[in-house]
Amino acid sequence: MKWLLALVYLILFVQYGIGWTSQCSDPHPLWPQIHREYEKRPISDPYCKAGIIPFCPTGLPSNSMPKVGDSDLLYVYAMKAPVWEFKFGDLLKKFNIMHDAIGFHHVPTGLNMTMEWYELFQLFNCTFPHERKVEQDLMWCNQGAACIYMGIDEKHWKENGTLVKVGEINGTIFNQFAMWTELDNNTFPFYETWTVKESRQGVTWFDPFDCASWVLRAFSKLHEYGATFNTSVHLNYTKAVLYSDQPMCIGNATTVYQNVTIINSLKKFYSYFQGSQNLAEVLLHLLEYLPYFLMYNNFYLYYNDEYWHLPLKYPYIEITYDEVPLPS
């Protein structure tokens, strides 16, 4: 019996990573993991393409936030709309899958401005890598950035979502915020889809870095600079949550290629999530993933240039839409 158990364990180790030890820089990580700050934004690989819609097609050039007079009055708006509304209308609103943005109205001139932080190469590419056959690697196209453009499309935000005034600021606060936006945009360049928690009320292992978390950080920074918010306004935010026992780091973006077992396990897992195929193939691979998932409860997360093994547990995955109060 002992040899049979040992054989089963060996098979699980080779195929699915059971029993791996940490292969990363910090053997005793703090939770939640702090999202990594970079000295500057890396240059995107030419392989990465935006796909259906280019990033920020009508936006201002990079590092060109407008400046206003110190005593100018500006209104601040919270804005929400269903994800992929351009393609599916209000469908994803029914599942509380919403995109977040901030609007500013410059009272002296009447000019409006929209700010939203989202994926350079679309959501699927930020969530799963491409498995490149020729290079035999996993290529991540997971950068995100702030898009700033003039105007507020009231119909877009109001029709299926939210456009609500949440505060007023002066020009000094806005100009400080503009400087923070440029710095933040250049030093936190990577998107992260998932929230990972031990349980609904338990430890958070990983926080997301997405449109909603950017808006929350932006509101917090505005408050730090002196903004006063209307706390009678109630706002909810979407999170895609995975539930897992304590994650284990199995290698960084370089070291995983030095271990055949690990890289093969990663490629096997990500083969179920290849967005470059047509829709029918994507759905087929997702269906193929279900028995693998149900048997092994196995998931891999790429966070801060490191791969983490997540031993998923009930309820496994959930879309939450919880209220987060405005700063006060």
Side-chain angles (χ1 to χ4, degrees), residues 47-60:
Y47 175 86
C48 298
K49 306 294 182 184
I52 300 173
I53 297 178
F55 175 77
C56 203
T58 62
L60 300 176

Side-chain angles (χ1 to χ4, degrees), residues 65-67 74 76 102-104 113-116 146 148 169-185 214-227 229:
M65 278 287 291
K67 302 296 190 293
L74 297 98
V76 184
I102 298 177
F104 292 96
M113 182 176 66
T114 297
M115 298 182 64
E116 47 187 331
I148 301 104
I169 59 174
N170 60 35
T172 298
I173 294 173
F174 179 84
N175 291 334
Q176 289 178 298
F177 176 72
M179 293 176 62
W180 171 83
T181 299
E182 292 184 4
L183 177 64
D184 183 82
N185 208 38
W214 183 85
V215 166
L216 290 168
R217 290 190 301 115
F219 283 160
S220 177
K221 189 58 65 172
L222 284 166
H223 182 257
E224 179 184 319
Y225 292 143
F229 288 96

Side-chain angles (χ1 to χ4, degrees), residues 32-35 117 190-197 204-214 216-217 237-242 301 303 320:
Q33 283 283 286
I34 298 173
H35 199 75
W117 197 95
F190 289 107
Y191 190 101
E192 176 52 54
T193 302
W194 304 106
T195 301
V196 185
K197 296 174 66 73
T204 297
W205 308 118
F206 299 95
D207 284 314
F209 212 83
D210 57 4
C211 63
S213 60
W214 183 85
L216 290 168
R217 290 190 301 115
Y237 297 88
T238 301
K239 285 186 177 181
V241 185
L242 297 171
L301 179 75
Y303 200 93
T320 63

